[in-house]
């Protein structure tokens, strides 16, 4: 199979590239990535296999995309602006890449006769899950952040390309990923990289928001299953059933890093913050025989160990522009910061 992966210099895309090269000895991968702040060639430094080629380009650049898609059998589309907080500061790039970029890619893929297009969407398109409920693929979508709305735009567009043109699209909606190579603006690597330096850990609001955490390699095996066994025009939820509050996750990580809970610092909440994400993944289990294999205990330990032994990667990918962004974000929130003395066992 000649595969094009978009966004393969980012967190999930680069892990997927490694997964495919290891699992499918006859596949070639063309990796189309713009290398924004969150995409970096250092992330692919260990990928030496000649079946993988890197093409720098924007998914919204029609010519570049047409060129990259020549002879392609299938696409797994990861490229996106992916961070909710950034979308709250300015959603322009989110609309450009996630909506218009996806439209450009869909059109080019349709004209190039691509036989399978997997759109990597997100559970955030459903909005916040009420207590006791889990979203199925039939649930209404109700995105709450500009990021989620832009992903919902891409998701609906892909659905429409199947309905209108019978273009063979499959949509996946996965929960919160963690694992190696995740940009340290996201919660898990942010905690690790700040805790190591003894810096405070910003906890938004009361820290009782719930996320369902999945190891990135479990997400990759789900995407592999969808790519090979999924049905055209279908949506597949990919969840792990690992619901934890942000405080619980932060405490577990601090324990693994060997730091005290006193680093936890409550800051102003994220506007429009979704309280809970929860997915019903029965369809993927029944149709694809897929299920997550990595326990949160093992996955978090492996992830913490990876970050602790890859501080050079963190240093290289966190450029000056990122540090400026982070200071802006954090200083704003810190102005309403309440330092809370955490007591053992307090949630
Ligand atoms: P990431 O930010 O780590 O990586 C995104 C990659 O896309 C980067 O390499 C970046 O350079 C590239 N990119 C951005 N704009 C581009 C453009 N215009 N043209 C070409 N390349 C571009 O993101 P991630 O966490 O790896 O997420 C990958 C995908 O998975 C996204 O579509 C995201 O919405 C989805 N997703 C993420 C999670 C999660 O927990 N991280 C969960 C579910 C779904
Ligand atoms: O659910 C899937 C989504 O998961 C993906 O679609 C997104 O691309 C990905 O970024 C992630 O979105 P979240 O907003 O859930 O992830 P983030 O790591 O930004 O935050 C996780 C939770 O932790 C969330 O409730 C906000 C909170 N948080 C985050 C940061 C960065 C904090 O309390 N403090 C922080 O400093």
């Amino acid at each position: 199979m000649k595969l094009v992966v978009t966004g393969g210099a980012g967190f999930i895309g680069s892990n997927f590239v490694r997964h495919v090269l290891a699992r499918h000895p006859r596949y070639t991968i063309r990796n189309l990535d713009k290398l924004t702040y969150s995409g970096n060639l250092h992330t692919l430094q260990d990928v030496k296999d000649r079946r993988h080629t890197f093409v720098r380009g924007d998914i919204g650049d029609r010519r570049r995309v047409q060129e990259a898609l020549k002879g392609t059998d299938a696409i797994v589309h990861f490229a996106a602006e992916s961070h909710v907080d950034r979308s709250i500061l300015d959603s322009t790039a989110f609309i450009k890449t996630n909506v218009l970029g996806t439209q450009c890619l869909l059109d080019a893929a349709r004209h190039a006769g691509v036989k399978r297009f997997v759109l990597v969407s997100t559970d955030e398109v459903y909005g916040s899950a009420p207590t006791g409920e889990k979203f199925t693929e039939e649930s209404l979508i109700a995105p709450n952040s500009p990021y989620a709305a832009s992903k919902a735009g891409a998701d609906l567009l892909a659905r429409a390309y199947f309905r209108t043109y019978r273009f063979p699209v499959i949509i996946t909606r996965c929960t919160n990923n963690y694992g190696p190579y995740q940009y340290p603006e996201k919660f898990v690597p942010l905690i690790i990289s700040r805790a190591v330096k003894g810096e405070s850990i910003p906890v938004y609001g009361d820290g009782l928001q719930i996320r369902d955490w999945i190891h990135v390699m479990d997400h990759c095996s789900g995407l592999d299953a969808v790519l090979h066994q999924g049905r055209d025009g279908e949506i597949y939820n990919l969840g792990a059933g690992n619901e934890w509050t942000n405080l619980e996750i932060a405490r577990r990580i601090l324990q693994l890093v060997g730091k005290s809970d006193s680093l936890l610092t409550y800051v102003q909440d994220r506007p429009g913050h979704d309280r809970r994400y929860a997915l019903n993944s029965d369809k993927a289990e029944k149709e694809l025989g897929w299920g997550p294999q990595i326990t949160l205990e093992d996955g978090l330990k492996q992830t913490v160990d990876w970050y602790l032994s890859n501080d050079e990667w963190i240093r290289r990918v966190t450029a000056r522009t990122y540090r400026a962004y982070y200071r802006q974000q954090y200083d704003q929130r810190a102005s309403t910061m309440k330092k809370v003395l955490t007591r053992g066992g307090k949630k």
Side-chain angles (χ1 to χ4, degrees), residues 265-268 329-338:
T265 305
Y266 291 82
V267 301
Q268 188 186 10
Q329 266 280 105
Y330 190 58
D331 287 351
Q332 249 177 30
R333 292 184 190 279
S335 63
T336 59
M337 189 166 80
K338 291 178 281 168

Side-chain angles (χ1 to χ4, degrees), residues 79-141:
E81 288 294 335
S82 67
H83 192 41
V84 173
D85 291 329
R86 285 179 188 258
S87 80
I88 296 169
L89 289 178
D90 182 0
S91 60
T92 313
F94 288 75
I95 304 304
K96 273 194 188 144
T97 288
N98 301 0
V99 184
L100 295 173
T102 299
Q103 181 245 339
C104 177
L105 193 67
L106 281 166
D107 273 340
R110 192 164 73 83
H111 292 302
V114 169
K115 293 178 210 69
R116 177 140 286 186
F117 186 112
V118 179
L119 175 84
V120 183
S121 187
T122 168
D123 63 352
E124 295 205 15
V125 299
Y126 296 116
S128 201
T131 310
E133 273 182 44
K134 290 187 175 197
F135 290 122
T136 71
E137 290 80 357
E138 274 75 47
S139 299
L140 283 182
I141 62 175

